[in-house]
Amino acid sequence: MAVFVALGAFLMTLAGGWTAQRVTDRRHLVLGLAGGLMLGVVGLDLLPEALEAAGTEVHGVPAALLLFVAGFLVAHLVERLLAARQAAHGAEEHDGRTPEVGLTAAAAMVGHSAMDGVAIGAAFQVGHGMGLAVALAVIAHDFADGFNTFTLTTVYGNARRRAVAMLVADAVAPVAGAASTLLFTLPEPLLGGYLGFFGGALLYLAAAEILPEAHHEHPARSTVLCTVAGAAFIWLVVGIAE
């Protein structure tokens, strides 16, 4: 089931890459909706489940919350390191663009997508409702992943052939990650900790990347409404599942 659902992430990633080649004026609405879906899954479903599964406390703080903060900070650190590397390479180049930086950034997106797949499989080990909720969040933001993978590869001067290859790798990664969880079962405390960590990283992507990008060129009320609608939809799904 986890692998089957991960195929949705595969298709959405390809759709994002296809859209990157044919940008429309509605992209900001899609990104706004994706940010709302991700926020809803983290706050209303993933984090509560992680707190229940992890159970233990470390120095008076639930372990899942500590890992949630760690996931947010790790995602921030990785993003900053990539930005610093891009700036360093840009300073060395006349046009500010080097193909290697684009490929490095795209490869990081592929690694992130593989961990998305692991998160889907781990969530299905908790239950089908949890698995579907996490899969929905992953599928929602994989559109942006596909869009950014293609864009990052091409904007730094790589040929379209390389960009398509990185896009396909990014699309396959979550399916491979989900399939890997068929080989092992995570203990419940470890599973709760992982979900907390993944939730922190997912929240960072929504708050620091997806939503700012949605409002970058189109700071419209409709984008905000899409974000609110995405979070409200998750609330509805969680209520029905309970």
Side-chain angles (χ1 to χ4, degrees), residues 32 118 121 152:
V118 173
L152 285 169

Side-chain angles (χ1 to χ4, degrees), residues 83-176:
R85 178 169 180 177
Q86 290 174 14
H89 279 276
E92 297 169 3
E93 296 296 317
H94 178 70
D95 62 356
R97 297 178 180 179
T98 59
E100 292 78 13
V101 174
L103 290 176
T104 299
M109 297 293 293
V110 173
H112 162 70
S113 293
M115 294 308 296
D116 282 351
V118 173
I120 292 175
F124 269 101
Q125 291 181 11
V126 174
H128 275 59
M130 183 65 179
L132 291 173
V134 171
L136 182 60
V138 170
I139 290 170
H141 90 269
D142 271 353
F143 174 87
D145 278 1
F147 191 101
N148 291 333
T149 297
F150 188 90
T151 302
L152 285 169
T153 308
T154 55
V155 79
Y156 282 94
N158 289 284
R160 183 178 181 276
R161 175 177 52 82
R162 283 188 174 183
V164 170
M166 295 304 296
L167 175 64
V168 172
D170 191 44
V172 171
V175 180

Side-chain angles (χ1 to χ4, degrees), residues 186-239:
L186 291 173
E188 189 172 6
L190 184 60
L191 183 60
Y194 177 76
L195 292 177
F197 184 88
F198 177 73
L202 199 64
L203 182 62
Y204 179 84
L205 289 172
E209 304 231 355
I210 304 299
L211 292 177
E213 183 68 18
H215 291 275
H216 178 59
E217 295 181 358
H218 296 273
R221 290 181 182 178
S222 56
T223 306
V224 176
L225 290 175
C226 284
T227 302
V228 174
F233 176 75
I234 296 299
W235 186 18
L236 179 63
V237 170
V238 170

Side-chain angles (χ1 to χ4, degrees), residues 41-131:
V41 165
V42 171
L44 304 178
D45 198 14
L46 198 155
L47 190 54
E49 190 67 44
L51 286 168
E52 182 179 344
T56 59
E57 292 188 355
V58 179
H59 200 60
V61 178
L65 284 182
L66 288 174
L67 287 166
F68 174 80
V69 173
F72 189 98
L73 292 175
V74 167
H76 175 60
L77 177 62
V78 170
E79 192 264 344
R80 288 291 88 204
L81 288 175
L82 282 175
R85 178 169 180 177
Q86 290 174 14
H89 279 276
E92 297 169 3
E93 296 296 317
H94 178 70
D95 62 356
R97 297 178 180 179
T98 59
E100 292 78 13
V101 174
L103 290 176
T104 299
M109 297 293 293
V110 173
H112 162 70
S113 293
M115 294 308 296
D116 282 351
V118 173
I120 292 175
F124 269 101
Q125 291 181 11
V126 174
H128 275 59
M130 183 65 179

